[in-house]
Amino acid sequence: MIRIVLPRLLRVASFRFAAFYVAVFAGSALVLGIAVFFEARSALQQQMTARIETEVTFLRVEFQSEGLAHLIDIVRKRGQGASALDYLVQDRTGAHLAGEVPATPGLTPGWTRIEVPQASEDGGRPERVRALVSDLGDGVLLAVGGDLQQVDNLEKAIATAFLWTIGLAAMLGIVGGVLLSRAFLRRVDAISRTAEAIIDGDLTRRVPTRGTGDDLDRLAGTLNHMLDRIGILMESLRQVSSDVAHDLRTPLTRLYQRLEGTRTHAQSMADYESAIDAATGEAQRLLDIFSALLRIAQVEGASPRSGFGDVDLSAVAETVADAYRPDAEEAGHALTATITQGVVVSGDKELLTQALANLVENALRHTPPGTRIDIRLEGSTETGARLSVEDDGPGVAETDLPHLTDRFYRGERSRTTPGNGLGLSLVSAVAELHGARLELDAVKPGLRVVLFFPAAEKSSHPNRQPSI
Amino acid sequence: MKVLLIEDDQETSAYVARGLREQGHVVDLAATGRDGLFLATEGGHDVLIVDRMLPGLDGIGLVQAFRGTGVKAPVLFLTALGGVGDRVRGLDAGGDDYLVKPFAFAELLARVNALARRPPLSDTPTVLQAGDLEMDLLGRTVTRGGKTIDLQPREFQLLAFLMRNLDRVVTRTMLLEAVWDFHFDPKTNIVESHISRLRSKLSQYGGAELIHTLRGSGYALRAPPPDDP
């Protein structure tokens, strides 16, 4: 377990951050420690040097005014007292005259180090003395020194304090880093477990959030939002597949039965011919459904604005109104068009034409003779356009309204009229591709379908205009 | 006429070739882009029918390739794609017409005939004539037997297209594309109603029927024989 967890821990970003900070902290503490160490040592040494120089000056004056005997006397007295300094007076022959430091051969004036053997204290370890040797005249040498042990002790104390500090800080840093990283890893693991469950097919799983609003929580929130969206898309895809399966099975079955029936029962050439005509018609209807579905899928899958150009929506509306007017009149409908000229939107002309044609065809097909159908284009290129197709026919039940754009959906009243229930699905897909808002209103009597187009090339917000 | 068909699907290829041969055309077949390119550059074809998706070299690349070698014969693309902007790409690449699978053979035949006899642009006449019917494309006037006939702009376009294809079959889809720029199949009788209006306007001063309906394929404008009453 440890073998598996530790290397992973080392790879976790938060652990690396922690380790990095520990290293930076230890480094700066070390630099600080070294600075303090040398500063303290040099201060102590300066202090000792000053004391020794003062003492030497004093003793030199005493020796010059009072003589050697007086000097020896003072040094002896100092040695009996609790003086922090060590002394040595020796004559020209090197003989020891006074002081606790033993006679040392080869002393020359100036700063030097003298080792003083310690028989009793410190287990015989020699005491190191930093001494100032001066020639007082007449071959008399005076050495006054300070014990280096004090400095050593202080140095050790400072070094120890810093080493402890650094060690403790590093320990705390590493432990903190490990704890942080494990917490982080747990949450990352939760996210990957969710992802794996989803890969395995459970699309209902969501990444747990803690409600703290931290970065990981926000990431989890975004992931969940994405999963919701994918879920909706999958659901609609599933719905489409089952719709397709259902709506194609019926005509396919009919086709199959008709052909099989002909095979068994046809008596004459005429029977065969009429059966083949019927089968061809059925196949044509199937192909129509397929191409309508394909078209919708292509429009839905197209990337917005690819292949878009400036489309004269007024001209499109004019063409469609023109194209359907004779047809409408023959069917006893009144087709009127109120078109504002020069309205340009950014889009795909072919798709917009087809969408409007679908709306007009719907109105023609689902209303009785005598119905008024009005195509209306308002707005302008700068403010966005409002394109509507309205009829005063029997309208659509309120309950049907939200489903009209569903694939294969056909309201109760339209069950008996020809059509495949895909016309408005395409209109809806085209509207979405163009960033246009599609609105279906039961206007009692009749149905009004409105497309709100955004202003060309400026904002993507649909222009909201008051309904008439 | 001599047609080169470049199509990898054997069934489609056989179906189209058989139909064209029955109509008295000579058909060369190629199943891959490379073979097609070879045959096309040999020349002598009046029309090329090219599938959009071919093994080896796709239809668009193929047409660009033989346009590059100077092959001028009109090209009809066949495609199962029929997607948004797909037709435009095909025409941009040097295609002259575009037909989405599945198609009725009558549709293909009408388009091949229209392509094969398409006059060069410079030869486009400004006055079209069929029997006693005369159409001035610049002055935008139509007369029959010397009497002026008033047409709506769309009816004028419709008649012009029919007259340019005099004695040839034009399908409903061809009319929808050429006259209305509709590249989808309306479920209503747009074409039929416009044709019937045009017919009644053309015969308002009497005279023989000019626009003939061919069941299952389309319409044809034919000049009546001169001795017809």
Side-chain angles (χ1 to χ4, degrees), chain A residues 162-449:
Chain A
F162 271 99
L163 285 178
W164 271 105
T165 312
I166 291 168
L168 269 175
M171 284 254 298
L172 282 175
I174 289 166
V175 169
V178 167
L179 289 178
L180 264 177
S181 310
R182 294 216 359 220
F184 185 80
L185 263 187
R186 264 203 300 279
R187 298 180 64 187
V188 171
D189 281 348
I191 295 177
S192 21
R193 269 198 304 279
T194 309
E196 271 155 24
I198 289 168
I199 291 168
D200 289 341
D202 181 4
L203 221 92
T204 59
R205 288 283 293 272
R206 291 296 176 267
V207 180
T209 54
R210 301 201 304 189
T212 53
D214 61 6
D215 353 352
L216 274 181
D217 244 24
R218 276 188 294 131
L219 175 64
T222 310
L223 286 176
N224 285 342
H225 193 65
M226 180 184 82
L227 290 171
D228 289 344
R229 179 92 184 107
I230 292 174
I232 291 168
L233 288 176
M234 292 279 286
E235 178 53 33
S236 98
L237 202 62
R238 204 190 54 74
Q239 187 64 42
V240 171
S241 324
S242 83
D243 284 348
V244 169
H246 178 264
D247 279 77
L248 291 182
R249 187 187 293 266
T250 316
L252 275 171
T253 309
R254 223 159 35 214
L255 179 62
Y256 174 80
Q257 285 167 346
R258 219 168 257 177
L259 289 173
E260 201 188 38
T262 310
R263 188 86 182 76
T264 335
H265 304 295
Q267 309 277 328
S268 64
M269 205 55 207
D271 284 354
Y272 277 113
E273 272 173 7
S274 78
I276 285 174
D277 284 350
T280 320
E282 203 71 68
Q284 187 58 51
R285 267 191 295 284
L286 276 164
L287 287 170
D288 285 349
I289 293 178
F290 264 121
S291 35
L293 280 173
L294 201 64
R295 190 93 168 148
I296 293 169
Q298 278 167 343
V299 173
E300 282 179 344
S303 49
R305 322 203 76 79
S306 79
F308 271 22
D310 285 346
V311 179
D312 185 346
L313 202 56
S314 309
V316 168
E318 205 80 71
T319 309
V320 172
D322 250 22
Y324 285 95
R325 193 169 287 119
D327 218 23
E329 283 166 11
E330 261 168 42
H333 291 80
L335 180 66
T336 57
T338 316
I339 293 162
T340 309
Q341 292 304 312
V343 179
V344 174
V345 296
S346 165
D348 182 311
K349 184 182 169 216
E350 213 175 300
L351 290 178
L352 290 171
T353 308
Q354 188 173 0
L356 181 58
N358 278 9
L359 292 179
V360 176
E361 274 180 20
N362 263 352
L364 284 174
R365 207 183 301 155
H366 298 303
T367 55
T371 307
R372 180 186 59 83
I373 297 164
D374 190 33
I375 302 173
R376 195 173 280 265
L377 176 65
E378 291 169 339
S380 69
T381 311
E382 293 74 29
T383 57
R386 176 191 187 279
L387 178 63
S388 68
V389 175
E390 184 177 346
D391 66 66
D392 61 357
V396 171
E398 290 278 352
T399 47
D400 282 339
L401 271 183
H403 302 291
L404 286 184
T405 55
D406 294 355
R407 286 179 184 80
F408 298 114
Y409 187 86
R410 311 195 59 199
E412 258 336 294
R413 289 199 191 98
S414 61
R415 292 258 172 235
T416 49
T417 54
N420 50 29
L422 291 170
L424 274 174
S425 307
L426 182 85
V427 174
S428 165
V430 171
E432 190 145 321
L433 184 71
H434 286 79
R437 188 160 51 90
L438 175 65
E439 233 178 62
L440 296 138
D441 302 308
V443 282
K444 293 185 185 140
L447 175 71
R448 179 172 62 216
V449 186

Side-chain angles (χ1 to χ4, degrees), chain B residues 116-130:
Chain B
R117 282 178 248 165
R118 179 183 281 187
L121 228 60
S122 53
D123 298 357
T124 309
T126 57
V127 176
L128 301 169
Q129 202 153 11

Side-chain angles (χ1 to χ4, degrees), chain B residues 132-134 141-150 201-202 204-206:
Chain B
D132 56 350
L133 182 66
E134 204 173 276
T141 53
V142 179
T143 54
R144 186 166 189 193
K147 295 189 183 93
T148 305
I149 295 172
D150 279 330
K201 283 191 180 179
L202 291 182
Q204 58 184 306
Y205 304 115

Side-chain angles (χ1 to χ4, degrees), chain A residues 19-32:
Chain A
F20 176 71
Y21 279 116
V22 166
V24 168
F25 176 76
S28 46
L30 197 67
V31 170
L32 184 67

